[in-house]
Amino acid sequence: MEIVLVVAVAENGVIGRDNTIPWRLKTDQQRLKAITMNKPVVMGRKTFESLRRPLPGRTNIVVTRDVNYQARGAVVTTSFENARAVAHGDALRRFATEIAVIGGAEIYAQWMGVADRLEITEVHARPDGDTRFDIIDAKDWEEVARVRNPAGPDDSADFSYVTYRRRGRR
């Protein structure tokens, strides 16, 4: 079962500002849907709330420290271990080969050590922000694909899709 972190990151490491994404990339939203459809998706509470609704066609797994938190249309858990177990079981039931982790920063940090692949959208902009993604360490990760894209009509910046695989795992 592959664990895939899916994230859009600006050139300066920013992934968010005030619990929002500081750019608009409709093209990337379509890619996120394609990568995550029919799979379990793991996210933090703030990320879930920023979506304003569960992502359809996917099991939404929300990790929060708040033991009383409830989220309609999502499975809520309070630990990395429980989220991983729920995601693994859901993936098996769906015959999915991947678990997708979609944010935010704390969730990415928790899952980075067990991730097999990173699907990064490099946003060619330098927005202000208060949430960042850790630098990808070349000793742990190998870039295996890169495609540069010009901004489409509903995109606020040029961007590149970059895939990394963890070194030493195949």
Side-chain angles (χ1 to χ4, degrees), residues 42-119:
V42 178
M43 68 196 88
R45 177 191 54 82
K46 291 178 194 173
T47 298
F48 180 75
E49 289 176 353
S50 75
L51 297 173
R52 292 185 286 234
R53 65 179 174 88
L55 296 173
R58 291 149 276 199
T59 300
N60 292 244
I61 302 164
V62 178
V63 184
T64 178
R65 289 182 207 75
D66 183 351
V67 296
N68 297 312
Y69 186 76
Q70 296 180 11
R72 183 183 301 271
V75 177
V76 178
T77 184
T78 57
S79 74
F80 163 82
E81 294 79 13
N82 288 345
R84 188 172 181 183
V86 169
H88 187 79
D90 182 70
L92 291 173
R93 279 188 295 281
R94 290 177 173 272
F95 300 101
T97 58
E98 298 174 350
I99 296 167
V101 178
I102 63 168
E106 287 183 46
I107 300 302
Y108 289 132
Q110 289 174 0
W111 287 77
M112 184 64 87
V114 297
D116 301 291
R117 193 173 86 233
L118 308 176
E119 291 293 343

Side-chain angles (χ1 to χ4, degrees), residues 116-149:
D116 301 291
R117 193 173 86 233
L118 308 176
E119 291 293 343
I120 307 290
T121 300
E122 290 181 352
V123 181
H124 301 301
R126 300 182 72 74
D128 290 333
D130 54 21
T131 309
R132 298 186 179 282
F133 189 74
D134 286 337
I135 294 171
I136 298 166
D137 191 336
K139 77 175 176 23
D140 295 327
W141 298 97
E142 176 184 8
E143 183 178 316
V144 296
R146 175 179 291 270
V147 178
R148 186 167 176 109
N149 300 281

